[in-house]
């Protein structure tokens, strides 16, 4: 079986090593996980994992400083691509964070902030359920309403509702916590912090990219 390269994008933002270690833990023997900030490596990858945490402005600045914007847009449209947390949000057109910032525009839509609600703290932090809205290879062996770990104050609002693959309830509203478009899957939660459900998600991604490559 041919070797497969899965690149975890290192642009200086996020819990990168934990993501890489979680992916390595479940990767088939023929899959090589590489943490890299190189556009050449991302272009050569069979699949890409795009993690991130922090503020949208800082993330976009880091992406632009590393000249990875176009490389990421290309990867997100041509190969299996997993966005995590901020790696989901900056795929959108625009974020209202930091007074407003243009993002990668891989998926048409915006990023909005939770509005204060009684008994709900912002940021949304801790375990919460994801309700699956459609069958997808990334949901393989993950139970309906499985619990994942979240840390965020903003959420995505894609223009096309049909891209929403999973939703979560918090602060008296239901928000899109997973979206999918062709070979792109992105999740607001942190699978690397989400125990067995998170490891299964990484395993599904490895199998998905292997079948699609």
């Amino acid at each position: 079986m041919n070797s497969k390269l899965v690149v975890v994008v290192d642009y200086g933002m996020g819990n990168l090593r934990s993501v890489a270690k979680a992916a390595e833990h479940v990767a088939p023997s023929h899959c090589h996980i590489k943490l890299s900030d190189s556009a050449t490596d991302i272009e050569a990858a069979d699949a890409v994992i795009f993690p991130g945490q922090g503020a949208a402005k800082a993330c976009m600045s880091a992406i632009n400083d590393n000249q990875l914007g176009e490389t990421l847009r290309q990867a997100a449209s041509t190969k299996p691509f997993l966005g995590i947390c901020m790696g989901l949000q900056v795929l959108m057109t625009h974020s209202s964070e930091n007074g407003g910032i243009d993002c990668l525009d891989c998926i048409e839509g915006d990023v909005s902030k939770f509005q204060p609600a009684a008994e709900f703290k912002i940021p949304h932090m801790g375990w919460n359920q994801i309700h699956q809205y459609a069958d997808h290879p990334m949901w393989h062996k993950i139970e309906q309403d499985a619990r994942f770990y979240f840390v965020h104050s903003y959420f995505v609002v894609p223009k096309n509702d049909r891209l929403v693959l999973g939703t979560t309830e918090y602060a008296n509203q239901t928000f899109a916590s997973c979206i999918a478009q062709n070979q792109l899957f992105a999740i607001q939660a942190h699978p690397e912090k989400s125990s067995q459900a998170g490891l299964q998600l990484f395993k599904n991604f490895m199998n998905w990219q292997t079948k699609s490559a």
Side-chain angles (χ1 to χ4, degrees):
M1 185 175 290
N2 293 334
S3 177
K4 301 292 182 181
L5 174 63
V6 181
V7 168
V8 179
V9 181
D10 179 4
Y11 59 105
M13 303 289 294
N15 196 17
L16 303 175
R17 298 204 176 278
S18 293
V19 170
K21 286 185 177 298
E24 287 172 354
H25 183 71
V26 298
S29 59
H30 65 283
C31 284
H32 173 57
I33 311 299
K34 184 174 186 178
L35 189 61
S36 178
D37 62 357
S38 164
T40 300
D41 285 341
I42 296 168
E43 290 164 2
D46 296 293
V48 173
I49 300 175
F50 181 43
Q53 62 188 34
K57 185 175 182 179
C59 284
M60 284 306 302
S61 292
I63 290 167
N64 292 330
D65 288 347
N66 285 279
Q67 299 181 327
L68 293 178
E70 186 53 39
T71 300
L72 290 170
R73 279 187 283 269
Q74 184 70 12
S77 65
T78 60
K79 62 186 69 180
F81 190 100
L82 173 60
I84 297 172
C85 194
M86 185 56 67
L88 158 62
Q89 293 184 14
V90 297
L91 294 175
M92 309 305 287
T93 306
H94 186 268
S95 174
S96 61
E97 192 172 2
N98 306 122
I101 183 75
D102 289 335
C103 298
L104 290 171
D105 198 24
C106 297
I107 297 170
E108 192 174 2
D110 297 310
V111 182
S112 299
K113 188 174 184 178
F114 284 115
Q115 296 303 309
E119 300 180 5
F120 290 94
K121 294 182 179 180
I122 308 299
H124 171 211
M125 182 181 299
W127 295 87
N128 206 338
Q129 294 175 310
I130 295 179
H131 186 79
Q132 302 167 21
Y133 271 89
D135 289 335
H136 193 279
M138 289 292 286
W139 291 142
H140 179 63
K141 290 189 176 181
I142 297 177
E143 293 182 357
Q144 177 64 282
D145 298 320
R147 295 174 70 83
F148 285 79
Y149 191 83
F150 290 81
V151 183
H152 64 120
S153 298
Y154 290 76
F155 59 92
V156 299
V157 185
K159 186 173 182 179
N160 185 353
D161 290 340
R162 289 176 294 180
L163 300 182
V164 178
L165 200 63
T167 61
T168 298
E169 295 185 5
Y170 192 72
N172 297 326
Q173 66 184 99
T174 301
F175 67 91
S177 50
C178 293
I179 58 176
Q181 179 174 266
N182 300 323
Q183 289 181 283
L184 180 154
F185 179 96
I187 183 169
Q188 182 63 66
H190 286 272
E192 76 279 7
K193 299 179 181 179
S194 298
S195 190
Q196 290 305 310
L199 289 175
Q200 184 65 47
L201 193 84
F202 282 120
K203 185 175 183 179
N204 292 343
F205 183 68
M206 299 301 163
N207 292 330
W208 186 33
Q209 69 91 8
T210 299
K211 292 175 183 176
S212 301

